[in-house]
Amino acid sequence: MERDLLIQEVLRLKAERQAVILAHSYQLPEVQEVADFVGDSLGLAREAQRTKAKVIVFAGVHFMAETAAILNPEKTVLLPDLEAGCSLADSIRPEDILAWKQDHPEGIVVAYVNTKAEVKALADVCVTSANAVEVVARLPKDRPIFFVPDMFLGAHVARVTGRKLDLFPGECHVHAGIREEHLKALLEKHPGAEFMIHPECGCGSSCLFLKPDAKMLSTEGMVRYAKKADAKEFVVATEVGILHRLSKEAPEKTFIPVKPDAICEYMKRITLEKVYLSLKEMRHVIRVPEEVAQKARRALEAMVAVG
């Protein structure tokens, strides 16, 4: 089916199903263009709660669709490709949380939203890169904190809040692949550009050393900052899918990826055709067992309420 007809069919089926399409900023441009809302994990979770639609088509990865299903048990949540997973979410198991809790019975578990439902169910609170600093800053100072699973985001949170955190050694394979040498090359090529770095990046600390005025920002933070900043040129360290949205929302500005091949193959599994088939055939419905969802819901609702 040709692209224009595919778009028409997606829009027709969306109306017929009383559906909404939510897309992450790392999605393919053609998927972002048919979405009703494009944003980061926090924005998408809030939009999923807010929508009156009966069906949510989640153009993102599995843990995001799970989050929507947990927060909206009365709605049908569809994920166009069940293989759209996450290397970071796969890095941690419930047993890792339970082992830490056994050694720290008074401890607090802070789970990044990039985790599976079974991990969220064991957490005290969930966070996104947009509100992790604010959430951790509010936690009691006399209790140990286990931050899972992204060690680079956790190190950033510890640095900003001054809190001592136990960090799980997990990483996003895309962000971990953005290294100091990539930054150095762009610093020399674009000395006048503003640098925007995602806190999941493995180069975060070295970047702040190389360029102290670099901005550590979530994907949504990057969009907000780029729109209001005076600079006309930005170097961006995150998954390259964000460049489409940045260029669309700030068309008069130039955005340069630190690493042009920083591509999440899981995000890119969602295509326009799969969104169409998802709506046409109502596939694939994401369900979370209620005993897991009930526990995870508390941690997620605490996340959505902050920031």
Side-chain angles (χ1 to χ4, degrees), residues 9-186:
E9 283 299 291
V10 166
L11 298 177
R12 180 185 68 79
L13 286 166
K14 188 174 69 169
E16 188 179 294
R17 300 287 193 195
Q18 298 181 57
V20 65
I21 300 173
L22 305 182
H24 193 273
S25 298
Y26 295 161
Q27 287 292 301
L28 292 166
E30 62 185 22
V31 174
Q32 292 188 39
E33 288 302 312
V34 296
D36 297 281
F37 180 85
V38 181
D40 65 356
S41 298
L42 183 58
L44 292 167
R46 286 177 174 153
E47 198 63 28
Q49 276 193 313
R50 194 179 295 134
T51 184
K52 303 292 185 205
K54 292 182 177 179
V55 175
I56 298 171
V57 180
F58 217 109
V61 292
H62 197 276
F63 77 79
M64 296 178 179
E66 269 191 343
T67 296
I70 291 166
L71 291 172
N72 300 274
E74 75 289 354
K75 294 183 170 68
T76 300
V77 177
L78 305 176
L79 181 64
D81 189 328
L82 287 177
E83 297 301 312
C86 172
S87 61
L88 180 57
D90 287 342
S91 71
I92 187 164
R93 307 160 303 160
E95 303 93 275
D96 299 315
I97 306 287
L98 292 170
W100 186 86
K101 281 190 166 189
Q102 190 171 354
D103 292 337
H104 305 84
E106 298 301 312
I108 299 171
V109 177
V110 178
Y112 192 21
V113 74
N114 299 40
T115 46
K116 295 179 180 179
E118 292 79 8
V119 170
K120 291 182 176 75
L122 294 170
D124 296 285
V125 63
C126 287
V127 297
T128 69
S129 55
N131 71 1
V133 168
E134 189 175 354
V135 170
V136 170
R138 294 181 180 189
L139 296 176
K141 291 185 166 51
D142 58 345
R143 295 169 65 187
I145 298 170
F146 191 27
F147 190 99
V148 304
D150 192 278
M151 59 182 172
F152 298 117
L153 175 60
H156 166 68
V157 172
R159 182 171 59 245
V160 175
T161 62
R163 303 292 298 272
K164 182 186 182 301
L165 306 179
D166 287 346
L167 303 179
F168 183 81
E171 62 182 30
C172 160
H173 72 290
V174 176
H175 284 113
I178 299 174
R179 296 185 296 273
E180 186 177 334
E181 59 264 32
H182 301 124
L183 289 166
K184 279 183 176 175
L186 272 294

Side-chain angles (χ1 to χ4, degrees), residues 216-252:
M216 298 289 282
L217 298 164
S218 66
T219 50
E220 202 63 32
M222 288 181 182
V223 175
R224 284 196 302 268
Y225 182 77
K227 285 165 72 173
K228 71 178 184 182
D230 293 331
K232 295 297 181 187
E233 189 176 54
F234 298 82
V235 170
V236 183
T238 190
E239 209 274 355
V240 296
I242 191 70
L243 298 177
H244 174 74
R245 187 166 169 221
L246 285 167
S247 297
K248 184 177 178 180
E249 299 209 22
E252 74 287 2

